[in-house]
Coordinates of all heavy atoms in Angstrom, one line a residue:
M1 N 83.4 114.8 90.2 CA 82.4 113.8 90.2 C 81.1 114.1 89.3 O 80.7 113.2 88.6 CB 81.9 113.7 91.7 CG 81.1 112.5 92.1 SD 82.0 110.9 92.3 CE 83.2 111.2 93.5
F2 N 80.8 115.3 89.4 CA 79.5 115.7 88.5 C 80.0 115.7 87.0 O 79.0 115.4 86.2 CB 79.1 117.0 88.9 CG 78.5 117.1 90.3 CD1 79.4 117.7 91.4 CD2 77.4 116.5 90.8 CE1 78.9 117.6 92.7 CE2 76.9 116.4 92.1 CZ 77.8 117.0 93.0
D3 N 81.1 115.8 86.7 CA 81.6 115.8 85.2 C 81.5 114.4 84.6 O 81.3 114.1 83.5 CB 82.9 116.4 85.0 CG 83.0 117.8 85.3 OD1 82.0 118.6 85.3 OD2 84.1 118.4 85.5
R4 N 81.8 113.4 85.5 CA 81.9 112.0 85.1 C 80.6 111.2 85.3 O 80.5 110.1 84.8 CB 83.1 111.4 85.8 CG 84.3 112.1 85.3 CD 85.5 111.5 86.0 NE 86.7 112.4 85.7 CZ 87.7 112.0 85.1 NH1 87.9 110.8 84.7 NH2 88.7 112.9 85.0
D5 N 79.7 111.6 86.1 CA 78.5 110.9 86.4 C 77.3 111.8 86.3 O 77.0 112.6 87.3 CB 78.6 110.2 87.8 CG 77.4 109.3 88.0 OD1 76.5 109.1 87.2 OD2 77.4 108.7 89.1
P6 N 76.5 111.7 85.2 CA 75.4 112.5 85.1 C 74.3 112.2 86.2 O 73.3 113.1 86.3 CB 74.9 112.3 83.7 CG 75.5 111.0 83.3 CD 76.7 110.9 84.1
A7 N 74.4 111.1 86.8 CA 73.3 110.7 87.7 C 73.5 111.4 89.0 O 72.6 111.4 89.9 CB 73.3 109.2 87.9
A8 N 74.7 111.9 89.3 CA 75.0 112.6 90.6 C 74.3 113.9 90.7 O 74.6 114.8 89.8 CB 76.5 112.8 90.7
R9 N 73.4 114.2 91.6 CA 72.7 115.4 91.6 C 73.2 116.4 92.6 O 73.1 117.6 92.4 CB 71.1 114.9 92.0 CG 70.5 114.1 90.8 CD 69.0 113.9 91.1 NE 68.9 112.9 92.2 CZ 68.8 111.6 92.1 NH1 68.9 111.0 90.9 NH2 68.8 110.8 93.1
T10 N 73.6 115.9 93.8 CA 74.0 116.8 94.8 C 75.3 116.4 95.5 O 75.6 115.2 95.5 CB 72.9 117.0 95.9 OG1 72.7 115.8 96.6 CG2 71.5 117.5 95.3
T11 N 75.9 117.3 96.1 CA 77.2 117.0 96.7 C 76.9 116.0 98.0 O 77.5 115.1 98.2 CB 77.8 118.2 97.3 OG1 78.2 119.1 96.2 CG2 79.2 117.9 98.0
W12 N 75.8 116.3 98.7 CA 75.3 115.5 99.8 C 75.2 114.0 99.3 O 75.5 113.1 100.0 CB 74.1 116.0 100.4 CG 73.6 115.2 101.7 CD1 72.5 114.5 101.7 CD2 74.3 115.1 102.9 NE1 72.4 113.9 102.9 CE2 73.5 114.2 103.7 CE3 75.6 115.5 103.4 CZ2 73.9 113.9 105.0 CZ3 75.9 115.2 104.7 CH2 75.1 114.3 105.4
E13 N 74.5 113.9 98.1 CA 74.3 112.5 97.6 C 75.6 111.8 97.4 O 75.8 110.7 97.7 CB 73.5 112.6 96.3 CG 73.1 111.2 95.7 CD 72.3 111.3 94.4 OE1 72.6 112.3 93.7 OE2 71.6 110.5 94.2
V14 N 76.6 112.5 96.7 CA 77.9 112.0 96.5 C 78.6 111.5 97.8 O 79.1 110.4 98.0 CB 78.7 112.8 95.7 CG1 80.1 112.3 95.6 CG2 78.2 113.0 94.3
I15 N 78.6 112.3 98.8 CA 79.2 112.1 100.1 C 78.6 110.9 100.8 O 79.4 110.2 101.4 CB 79.3 113.4 100.9 CG1 80.1 114.4 100.4 CG2 79.6 113.1 102.3 CD1 80.0 115.8 101.0
T16 N 77.4 110.8 100.7 CA 76.7 109.8 101.5 C 76.5 108.5 100.8 O 76.2 107.4 101.4 CB 75.4 110.3 102.1 OG1 74.5 110.7 101.0 CG2 75.6 111.5 103.0
C17 N 76.3 108.5 99.5 CA 75.8 107.3 98.8 C 76.8 106.8 97.7 O 76.4 105.8 96.9 CB 74.5 107.7 98.1 SG 73.2 108.1 99.2
Y18 N 78.0 107.2 97.5 CA 79.0 106.8 96.4 C 80.1 106.0 97.0 O 81.1 106.6 97.5 CB 79.5 108.0 95.7 CG 78.4 108.4 94.6 CD1 77.2 108.8 94.9 CD2 78.9 108.4 93.3 CE1 76.3 109.2 93.8 CE2 78.1 108.8 92.2 CZ 76.7 109.2 92.5 OH 75.9 109.6 91.5
P19 N 80.0 104.7 97.0 CA 81.1 103.8 97.5 C 82.5 104.1 96.9 O 83.5 104.0 97.5 CB 80.6 102.4 97.4 CG 79.5 102.5 96.4 CD 79.0 103.9 96.4
G20 N 82.5 104.5 95.6 CA 83.8 104.8 94.9 C 84.4 106.0 95.6 O 85.6 106.0 95.8
F21 N 83.6 106.9 96.0 CA 84.1 108.1 96.6 C 84.7 107.8 98.0 O 85.7 108.2 98.4 CB 83.0 109.2 96.8 CG 83.4 110.4 97.7 CD1 84.2 111.3 97.3 CD2 82.9 110.4 99.0 CE1 84.5 112.4 98.0 CE2 83.2 111.5 99.8 CZ 84.0 112.5 99.3
H22 N 84.0 106.9 98.8 CA 84.4 106.5 100.1 C 85.6 105.7 99.9 O 86.6 105.9 100.8 CB 83.3 105.7 100.8 CG 82.0 106.3 100.9 ND1 80.9 105.6 100.8 CD2 81.7 107.6 101.2 CE1 79.8 106.5 101.0 NE2 80.3 107.8 101.3
A23 N 85.7 104.7 99.0 CA 87.0 103.9 98.8 C 88.2 104.8 98.5 O 89.3 104.6 99.1 CB 86.7 102.9 97.7
L24 N 88.1 105.7 97.7 CA 89.2 106.7 97.3 C 89.6 107.5 98.5 O 90.8 107.7 98.8 CB 88.9 107.5 96.1 CG 88.7 106.7 94.9 CD1 88.2 107.6 93.7 CD2 90.1 106.1 94.4
L25 N 88.6 108.0 99.3 CA 88.9 108.7 100.5 C 89.6 108.0 101.5 O 90.7 108.5 102.0 CB 87.5 109.3 101.1 CG 87.6 110.4 102.0 CD1 88.1 111.7 101.5 CD2 86.2 110.6 102.6
V26 N 89.2 106.8 101.7 CA 89.9 105.9 102.7 C 91.4 105.5 102.2 O 92.3 105.4 102.9 CB 89.1 104.7 103.2 CG1 89.9 103.7 104.1 CG2 87.9 105.2 103.8
H27 N 91.4 105.3 100.8 CA 92.7 105.0 100.3 C 93.7 106.1 100.5 O 94.9 105.9 100.7 CB 92.6 104.6 98.8 CG 93.9 104.7 98.1 ND1 94.8 103.5 98.3 CD2 94.6 105.5 97.4 CE1 95.8 103.7 97.7 NE2 95.8 104.9 97.1
R28 N 93.3 107.4 100.4 CA 94.2 108.5 100.7 C 94.9 108.3 102.1 O 96.0 108.5 102.3 CB 93.5 109.8 100.6 CG 92.8 110.0 99.3 CD 93.7 110.8 98.3 NE 93.0 111.0 97.0 CZ 93.3 110.5 95.9 NH1 94.3 109.7 95.7 NH2 92.5 110.7 94.8
L29 N 94.0 108.0 103.1 CA 94.5 107.7 104.5 C 95.4 106.5 104.5 O 96.5 106.6 105.0 CB 93.3 107.6 105.4 CG 93.6 107.1 106.8 CD1 94.4 108.1 107.6 CD2 92.4 106.7 107.6
A30 N 94.9 105.4 104.0 CA 95.7 104.2 103.9 C 97.1 104.3 103.2 O 98.1 103.9 103.7 CB 94.9 103.1 103.3
H31 N 97.1 105.1 102.1 CA 98.3 105.3 101.4 C 99.3 106.1 102.2 O 100.5 105.9 102.2 CB 98.0 106.0 100.0 CG 99.2 106.1 99.2 ND1 99.9 105.0 98.5 CD2 99.8 107.2 98.7 CE1 100.8 105.4 97.8 NE2 100.8 106.7 97.8
A32 N 98.7 107.2 102.9 CA 99.6 108.0 103.8 C 100.2 107.1 104.9 O 101.4 107.3 105.2 CB 98.8 109.1 104.4
L33 N 99.4 106.3 105.5 CA 100.0 105.4 106.5 C 101.0 104.4 106.0 O 102.1 104.3 106.5 CB 98.9 104.6 107.1 CG 97.8 105.4 108.0 CD1 96.6 104.5 108.2 CD2 98.5 105.9 109.2
W34 N 100.8 104.0 104.8 CA 101.7 103.0 104.1 C 103.1 103.8 103.8 O 104.0 103.2 104.1 CB 101.1 102.6 102.7 CG 101.8 101.5 102.0 CD1 102.8 101.7 101.1 CD2 101.8 100.1 102.3 NE1 103.2 100.5 100.6 CE2 102.6 99.4 101.4 CE3 101.1 99.3 103.2 CZ2 102.8 98.2 101.3 CZ3 101.2 97.9 103.1 CH2 102.1 97.4 102.2
R35 N 103.0 105.0 103.4 CA 104.3 105.7 103.1 C 104.9 106.1 104.4 O 106.2 106.3 104.4 CB 103.9 107.0 102.3 CG 103.4 106.5 100.9 CD 103.2 107.8 100.0 NE 104.6 108.4 100.0 CZ 104.9 109.3 99.1 NH1 104.1 109.6 98.1 NH2 106.1 109.9 99.2
M36 N 104.3 106.2 105.5 CA 105.0 106.5 106.8 C 105.4 105.2 107.4 O 105.8 105.2 108.5 CB 103.9 107.1 107.8 CG 103.6 108.6 107.4 SD 102.6 109.4 108.6 CE 101.0 108.6 108.5
K37 N 105.4 104.1 106.7 CA 105.9 102.8 107.2 C 105.0 102.2 108.2 O 105.4 101.3 108.9 CB 107.3 102.8 107.6 CG 108.3 103.4 106.6 CD 108.6 102.5 105.5 CE 109.7 103.0 104.7 NZ 109.5 102.8 103.2
L38 N 103.7 102.6 108.3 CA 102.8 102.1 109.2 C 102.0 101.0 108.4 O 100.8 101.3 108.1 CB 101.9 103.1 109.8 CG 102.6 104.1 110.6 CD1 101.7 105.3 111.1 CD2 103.2 103.4 111.9
R39 N 102.7 100.0 107.9 CA 102.1 99.1 106.9 C 100.8 98.3 107.4 O 99.8 98.2 106.8 CB 103.2 98.0 106.5 CG 104.4 98.7 105.9 CD 104.2 99.4 104.6 NE 105.1 100.3 104.2 CZ 106.0 100.1 103.2 NH1 106.1 99.0 102.6 NH2 107.0 101.0 102.9
W40 N 100.9 97.9 108.7 CA 99.7 97.1 109.1 C 98.5 98.1 109.2 O 97.4 97.6 108.9 CB 100.0 96.5 110.6 CG 98.8 95.8 111.1 CD1 98.5 94.5 110.8 CD2 97.8 96.3 111.9 NE1 97.3 94.1 111.4 CE2 96.8 95.3 112.1 CE3 97.5 97.6 112.4 CZ2 95.6 95.5 112.8 CZ3 96.3 97.7 113.2 CH2 95.4 96.7 113.4
L41 N 98.7 99.3 109.7 CA 97.6 100.2 109.9 C 97.1 100.6 108.5 O 95.8 100.7 108.3 CB 98.1 101.4 110.7 CG 97.0 102.3 111.3 CD1 96.1 101.4 112.2 CD2 97.7 103.3 112.1
G42 N 97.9 100.8 107.5 CA 97.4 101.0 106.1 C 96.6 99.9 105.6 O 95.6 100.1 105.0
R43 N 97.1 98.6 105.8 CA 96.4 97.5 105.4 C 95.1 97.3 106.1 O 94.1 96.9 105.5 CB 97.2 96.2 105.6 CG 98.5 96.1 104.7 CD 98.1 95.7 103.2 NE 97.4 94.6 103.1 CZ 97.9 93.4 102.6 NH1 99.1 93.2 102.4 NH2 97.1 92.4 102.4
F44 N 95.0 97.7 107.4 CA 93.8 97.6 108.0 C 92.7 98.6 107.6 O 91.6 98.2 107.5 CB 94.2 97.7 109.6 CG 92.8 97.4 110.4 CD1 92.3 96.2 110.6 CD2 92.2 98.5 111.1 CE1 91.2 95.9 111.3 CE2 91.1 98.3 111.8 CZ 90.5 97.0 111.9
A45 N 93.2 99.8 107.4 CA 92.3 100.8 106.9 C 91.7 100.3 105.5 O 90.5 100.5 105.3 CB 93.1 102.1 106.7
S46 N 92.6 99.8 104.7 CA 92.2 99.3 103.3 C 91.1 98.2 103.5 O 90.1 98.1 102.8 CB 93.4 98.8 102.6 OG 93.0 98.2 101.4
H47 N 91.4 97.3 104.5 CA 90.6 96.1 104.7 C 89.1 96.6 105.1 O 88.2 96.1 104.7 CB 91.1 95.3 105.7 CG 90.3 94.1 106.2 ND1 90.1 93.0 105.4 CD2 89.5 93.9 107.3 CE1 89.3 92.2 106.0 NE2 88.9 92.7 107.2
C48 N 89.1 97.6 106.0 CA 87.8 98.2 106.5 C 87.1 98.9 105.4 O 85.9 98.7 105.2 CB 88.1 99.2 107.6 SG 88.6 98.5 109.2
S49 N 87.8 99.5 104.5 CA 87.3 100.2 103.3 C 86.6 99.1 102.3 O 85.4 99.2 101.9 CB 88.2 100.9 102.6 OG 87.7 101.5 101.4
R50 N 87.4 98.0 102.1 CA 86.9 96.9 101.3 C 85.5 96.4 101.9 O 84.6 96.0 101.2 CB 87.9 95.8 101.1 CG 87.4 94.7 100.3 CD 88.4 93.5 100.2 NE 88.6 93.0 101.5 CZ 89.1 91.9 101.8 NH1 89.7 91.1 100.8 NH2 89.2 91.4 103.0
F51 N 85.6 96.1 103.2 CA 84.3 95.5 103.9 C 83.1 96.5 103.7 O 82.0 96.0 103.4 CB 84.7 95.4 105.3 CG 83.4 94.8 106.1 CD1 83.1 93.5 106.1 CD2 82.7 95.7 106.9 CE1 82.0 93.0 106.7 CE2 81.6 95.1 107.6 CZ 81.3 93.8 107.6
L52 N 83.4 97.8 103.7 CA 82.2 98.7 103.7 C 81.8 99.0 102.3 O 80.6 99.3 102.0 CB 82.5 100.0 104.4 CG 82.8 99.9 105.9 CD1 83.4 101.2 106.5 CD2 81.5 99.6 106.6
T53 N 82.7 99.0 101.3 CA 82.4 99.4 99.9 C 82.4 98.4 98.9 O 81.9 98.6 97.8 CB 83.5 100.6 99.5 OG1 84.8 100.0 99.3 CG2 83.5 101.8 100.4
G54 N 83.2 97.3 99.1 CA 83.2 96.3 98.1 C 84.3 96.5 97.1 O 84.4 95.9 96.1
I55 N 85.1 97.6 97.3 CA 86.1 98.0 96.4 C 87.4 97.9 97.2 O 87.6 98.4 98.3 CB 86.0 99.4 96.1 CG1 84.7 99.7 95.3 CG2 87.2 99.9 95.2 CD1 84.2 101.1 95.1
E56 N 88.4 97.0 96.6 CA 89.7 96.7 97.3 C 90.8 97.5 96.7 O 91.0 97.4 95.5 CB 90.0 95.3 97.3 CG 91.3 94.9 98.0 CD 91.6 93.4 98.1 OE1 90.7 92.6 97.7 OE2 92.7 93.1 98.5
I57 N 91.4 98.5 97.4 CA 92.5 99.2 96.9 C 93.7 99.0 97.8 O 93.6 99.4 99.0 CB 92.2 100.7 96.8 CG1 91.0 100.9 96.0 CG2 93.4 101.5 96.1 CD1 90.5 102.4 96.0
H58 N 94.8 98.4 97.3 CA 95.9 98.2 98.2 C 96.6 99.5 98.6 O 96.6 100.5 97.7 CB 97.0 97.4 97.3 CG 98.1 96.9 98.3 ND1 99.2 97.7 98.6 CD2 98.3 95.7 98.8 CE1 100.0 97.0 99.4 NE2 99.5 95.8 99.5
P59 N 97.0 99.7 99.8 CA 97.5 101.0 100.3 C 98.7 101.5 99.6 O 99.0 102.5 99.6 CB 97.7 100.8 101.8 CG 97.7 99.3 102.0 CD 96.9 98.7 100.9
G60 N 99.4 100.5 99.0 CA 100.7 100.9 98.2 C 100.4 101.4 96.8 O 101.2 101.8 96.1
A61 N 99.1 101.2 96.3 CA 98.8 101.7 94.9 C 98.9 103.2 94.8 O 98.5 103.9 95.7 CB 97.4 101.2 94.6
T62 N 99.3 103.7 93.7 CA 99.4 105.1 93.4 C 98.2 105.5 92.6 O 97.9 105.0 91.5 CB 100.7 105.5 92.5 OG1 101.8 104.9 93.4 CG2 100.7 106.9 92.4
I63 N 97.3 106.4 93.2 CA 96.1 106.9 92.5 C 96.1 108.4 92.5 O 96.3 109.0 93.4 CB 94.8 106.4 93.3 CG1 94.9 104.8 93.3 CG2 93.6 106.9 92.7 CD1 93.7 104.1 93.9
G64 N 95.9 108.9 91.2 CA 95.9 110.3 91.0 C 94.7 111.0 91.5 O 93.7 110.4 92.0
R65 N 94.6 112.3 91.3 CA 93.6 113.2 91.9 C 92.2 112.9 91.2 O 91.1 113.1 91.8 CB 93.9 114.6 91.7 CG 95.0 115.1 92.6 CD 95.3 116.5 92.4 NE 94.3 117.1 91.5 CZ 94.4 118.3 91.0 NH1 95.4 119.1 91.3 NH2 93.5 118.8 90.2
R66 N 92.2 112.7 89.8 CA 90.9 112.7 89.1 C 90.3 111.4 88.8 O 89.5 111.3 88.0 CB 91.2 113.5 87.8 CG 91.6 114.9 88.0 CD 91.8 115.6 86.8 NE 92.6 116.9 87.0 CZ 92.0 118.1 87.2 NH1 90.8 118.2 87.2 NH2 92.8 119.1 87.4
V67 N 90.8 110.3 89.5 CA 90.3 109.0 89.3 C 88.8 109.0 89.9 O 88.5 109.4 90.9 CB 91.2 107.9 90.0 CG1 90.5 106.6 89.9 CG2 92.5 107.9 89.3
F68 N 87.9 108.3 89.1 CA 86.5 108.2 89.5 C 86.2 106.6 89.4 O 86.4 106.1 88.4 CB 85.7 109.0 88.6 CG 84.2 108.8 88.8 CD1 83.6 109.2 90.0 CD2 83.4 108.3 87.9 CE1 82.3 109.1 90.2 CE2 82.1 108.1 88.0 CZ 81.5 108.5 89.2
I69 N 85.7 106.1 90.4 CA 85.2 104.7 90.4 C 83.6 104.7 90.4 O 83.1 105.2 91.5 CB 85.8 103.9 91.5 CG1 87.3 103.9 91.4 CG2 85.2 102.4 91.4 CD1 88.0 103.3 92.6
D70 N 83.0 104.2 89.4 CA 81.6 104.2 89.4 C 81.1 102.8 89.3 O 81.7 102.0 88.5 CB 81.1 104.9 88.1 CG 79.6 105.3 88.1 OD1 79.0 105.1 89.2 OD2 79.0 105.6 87.1
H71 N 80.2 102.4 90.1 CA 79.7 101.0 90.1 C 80.9 100.0 90.4 O 81.1 99.1 89.6 CB 79.0 100.7 88.9 CG 77.8 101.5 88.5 ND1 76.6 101.4 89.2 CD2 77.7 102.5 87.6 CE1 75.9 102.3 88.7 NE2 76.5 103.0 87.8
G72 N 81.6 100.2 91.4 CA 82.9 99.6 91.7 C 82.9 98.3 92.4 O 83.9 97.8 92.8
M73 N 81.7 97.7 92.7 CA 81.6 96.4 93.5 C 82.6 95.4 92.8 O 82.4 95.1 91.6 CB 80.2 95.9 93.6 CG 80.1 94.6 94.4 SD 80.6 94.7 96.1 CE 79.1 95.3 96.9
G74 N 83.5 94.9 93.6 CA 84.4 93.9 93.0 C 85.6 94.4 92.4 O 86.4 93.6 92.0
V75 N 85.8 95.7 92.4 CA 87.0 96.3 91.8 C 88.2 96.0 92.7 O 88.1 96.2 93.9 CB 86.9 97.8 91.5 CG1 88.2 98.4 91.2 CG2 85.8 98.1 90.4
V76 N 89.2 95.6 92.1 CA 90.5 95.3 93.0 C 91.7 96.0 92.2 O 91.8 95.9 91.0 CB 90.8 93.7 93.0 CG1 92.2 93.5 93.8 CG2 89.7 93.0 93.7
I77 N 92.3 96.9 93.1 CA 93.4 97.7 92.5 C 94.7 97.3 93.3 O 94.7 97.4 94.5 CB 93.1 99.2 92.7 CG1 91.9 99.6 91.8 CG2 94.4 100.0 92.2 CD1 91.4 100.9 92.0
G78 N 95.6 96.6 92.7 CA 96.8 96.0 93.3 C 97.8 97.0 93.7 O 97.8 98.2 93.3
E79 N 98.9 96.6 94.5 CA 100.0 97.4 95.0 C 100.8 98.1 94.0 O 101.1 99.2 94.1 CB 100.9 96.5 95.9 CG 102.0 97.3 96.4 CD 102.9 96.5 97.4 OE1 102.7 95.2 97.4 OE2 103.7 97.1 98.0
T80 N 100.9 97.4 92.8 CA 101.8 98.1 91.7 C 101.0 98.9 90.7 O 101.5 99.5 89.8 CB 102.6 96.9 91.0 OG1 101.6 96.1 90.4 CG2 103.4 96.2 91.9
A81 N 99.7 99.1 91.0 CA 98.9 99.9 90.0 C 99.2 101.3 90.2 O 99.5 101.8 91.3 CB 97.4 99.7 90.4
E82 N 99.1 102.0 89.0 CA 99.2 103.5 89.0 C 98.0 104.0 88.1 O 98.1 104.0 86.9 CB 100.5 103.9 88.4 CG 101.8 103.5 89.1 CD 103.1 104.0 88.6 OE1 103.0 105.0 87.7 OE2 104.1 103.4 88.9
L83 N 97.1 104.7 88.8 CA 95.9 105.1 88.2 C 95.9 106.7 88.4 O 96.3 107.2 89.3 CB 94.7 104.6 88.9 CG 94.4 103.2 88.8 CD1 93.1 102.8 89.5 CD2 94.4 102.7 87.4
G84 N 95.6 107.3 87.3 CA 95.5 108.8 87.3 C 96.9 109.4 87.0 O 96.9 110.5 86.6
T85 N 97.9 108.7 87.0 CA 99.2 109.2 86.6 C 99.3 108.9 85.1 O 99.9 109.6 84.3 CB 100.3 108.6 87.3 OG1 100.3 107.1 87.2 CG2 100.2 109.0 88.8
T86 N 98.9 107.7 84.6 CA 98.9 107.4 83.2 C 97.5 107.1 82.7 O 97.3 107.4 81.5 CB 99.7 106.1 83.0 OG1 99.1 105.0 83.8 CG2 101.2 106.3 83.3
A87 N 96.5 106.8 83.5 CA 95.2 106.6 83.1 C 94.3 107.7 83.8 O 94.5 108.1 84.9 CB 94.7 105.2 83.5
R88 N 93.2 108.2 83.1 CA 92.5 109.2 83.6 C 91.3 108.7 84.5 O 91.0 109.4 85.5 CB 91.8 110.0 82.4 CG 92.9 110.6 81.7 CD 92.6 112.0 81.2 NE 91.9 112.8 82.3 CZ 91.4 113.9 82.1 NH1 91.4 114.4 80.9 NH2 90.8 114.6 83.1
S89 N 90.7 107.5 84.2 CA 89.7 107.1 85.1 C 89.5 105.6 84.9 O 90.0 105.0 84.0 CB 88.4 107.8 84.8 OG 87.9 107.4 83.5
I90 N 88.9 105.0 85.9 CA 88.5 103.6 85.8 C 87.0 103.5 86.1 O 86.5 104.1 87.0 CB 89.3 102.7 86.8 CG1 88.8 101.3 86.7 CG2 89.1 103.2 88.3 CD1 89.7 100.2 87.5
M91 N 86.3 102.9 85.2 CA 84.8 102.7 85.3 C 84.5 101.3 85.1 O 84.8 100.6 84.1 CB 84.1 103.6 84.3 CG 84.5 105.1 84.5 SD 83.4 106.1 83.5 CE 82.0 106.1 84.4
A92 N 84.0 100.7 86.2 CA 83.6 99.2 86.2 C 82.3 99.1 85.7 O 81.4 99.8 85.8 CB 83.9 98.6 87.6

C-alpha cells in the first residue's frame, strides 16, 4: 500500500480509512465463500462491501495479491475479471 500511494502515512490510517483496502479484504472472504459453493453468502458479503465502500467486486472475480484500488468509488469488477494475474494494479 505504501509503495503505491504516497499519501498513506500509517498502517492504522490504511486499515481505518482506505475503502479500496476494505473492499479487497471483504472480497477475499466473498471469493472463498463463492469457491465453497456458498454462492448466496458470497454475493451477500459482496453486496455489504459495495454498500460500505462504493466498490463492487463480484465474488467470482479473480484478484491477485498486489492489486491496489485508490479512489475507487464507482469501480465495478465483474465475475470474469482477472486482476493481478495479468494486470498489476487498477487505479480509478
Side-chain angles (χ1 to χ4, degrees):
M1 194 77 58
F2 297 105
D3 292 340
R4 298 179 189 236
D5 187 1
R9 291 182 294 268
T10 66
T11 301
W12 181 246
E13 181 181 32
V14 171
I15 290 171
T16 58
C17 300
Y18 276 58
F21 172 76
H22 301 143
L24 291 171
L25 195 64
V26 175
H27 171 73
R28 304 268 184 241
L29 170 67
H31 187 66
L33 293 167
W34 187 263
R35 292 187 57 162
M36 289 188 292
K37 306 289 187 215
L38 299 171
R39 305 292 167 105
W40 180 87
L41 201 52
R43 291 289 301 261
F44 186 70
S46 175
H47 175 75
C48 291
S49 177
R50 180 185 64 163
F51 177 77
L52 294 171
T53 66
I55 300 168
E56 182 175 354
I57 306 173
H58 191 282
T62 303
I63 299 183
R65 291 181 2 189
R66 301 181 195 269
V67 171
F68 174 67
I69 301 173
D70 192 14
H71 303 287
M73 180 60 86
V75 168
V76 177
I77 300 171
E79 181 177 7
T80 59
E82 293 184 22
L83 300 177
T85 55
T86 56
R88 295 221 43 191
S89 66
I90 179 170
M91 299 189 77

